[in-house]
Amino acid sequence: MNETKQAIRLSFIKIYEHKPYEKISIKEICINAPVARTTFYEYYENLAELKAEIEDTLIKGILQLSDENGQNNTDTIELTEYFSKVLHYIQKNWDVNYAFLVKQPNYEYIEKWKSAIKYHFKCRFPEK
C-alpha cells in the first residue's frame, strides 16, 4: 500500500477513535493526513468505502492465517500455534482493532470477524 493511502487510513482511525463515524468528514481526514481532498477521491468514493476497505484488509489477514493453517492435515494442526499467530496479528493491528471493537464498536467489522472465525472452524472441523 502506498504512503498516501496509508496516511488517509491512519487519519481516519485516529479520528474514529474519538468521534462518532457519522460526524467524521472527509475534510477532517484530509487535514490530518495531510492530503488534498482530490487525492482522497482518487482512492475512495466516500467514507463508507474507506471504512469497508480497512475492515476487509484486516479480515483478509485473519482469513489468510486460516488458509495457511488449513493447508496442513486437519489432524495435525496445532490450535495453539494458530491462535498465537492470530493474537500476534491482532496486536500488530491493535490501533484499528481497538477502535473498531472497543472505542466505537463497528458492527459491520464485528460481523465480518465472526464470519472469519466460522470460516476457520469450518476448515478445521469440516465434518461438523
Side-chain angles (χ1 to χ4, degrees), residues 29-126:
I29 290 170
C30 293
I31 289 169
N32 287 309
V35 298
R37 286 177 66 124
T38 54
T39 303
F40 177 93
Y41 287 112
E42 286 179 29
Y43 296 106
Y44 306 102
E45 288 185 31
N46 52 44
L47 286 178
E49 185 178 338
L50 169 60
K51 184 167 84 63
E53 181 184 271
I54 295 169
E55 295 165 357
D56 293 344
T57 300
L58 287 170
I59 298 304
K60 182 180 177 185
I62 292 171
L63 291 173
Q64 283 176 330
L65 290 173
S66 290
D67 288 343
E68 290 168 8
N69 196 35
Q71 291 185 11
N72 300 323
N73 180 333
T74 57
D75 293 334
T76 61
I77 292 173
E78 282 292 323
L79 278 181
T80 52
E81 180 182 336
Y82 169 72
F83 289 131
S84 176
K85 289 178 183 179
V86 170
L87 180 59
H88 175 54
Y89 181 78
I90 291 167
Q91 290 170 332
K92 181 178 155 194
N93 297 286
W94 183 246
D95 56 339
V96 181
N97 284 301
Y98 185 74
F100 282 172
L101 296 172
V102 179
K103 289 294 274 186
Q104 186 178 168
N106 174 342
Y107 297 106
E108 292 89 2
Y109 179 65
I110 293 167
E111 286 304 314
K112 290 175 183 181
W113 184 295
K114 288 182 348 186
S115 293
I117 292 168
K118 289 176 187 176
Y119 172 81
H120 166 73
F121 281 99
K122 284 180 184 177
C123 290
R124 172 84 170 121
F125 305 107

Side-chain angles (χ1 to χ4, degrees), residues 2-53:
N2 73 38
E3 289 178 27
T4 303
K5 203 169 184 179
Q6 184 65 19
I8 292 169
R9 291 170 63 152
L10 290 173
S11 176
F12 171 79
I13 292 301
K14 285 181 182 178
I15 296 166
Y16 186 91
E17 288 179 341
H18 304 287
K19 192 174 201 176
Y21 173 71
E22 301 78 27
K23 296 190 181 216
I24 297 173
S25 71
I26 291 170
K27 179 180 180 181
E28 186 177 17
I29 290 170
C30 293
I31 289 169
N32 287 309
V35 298
R37 286 177 66 124
T38 54
T39 303
F40 177 93
Y41 287 112
E42 286 179 29
Y43 296 106
Y44 306 102
E45 288 185 31
N46 52 44
L47 286 178
E49 185 178 338
L50 169 60
K51 184 167 84 63
E53 181 184 271

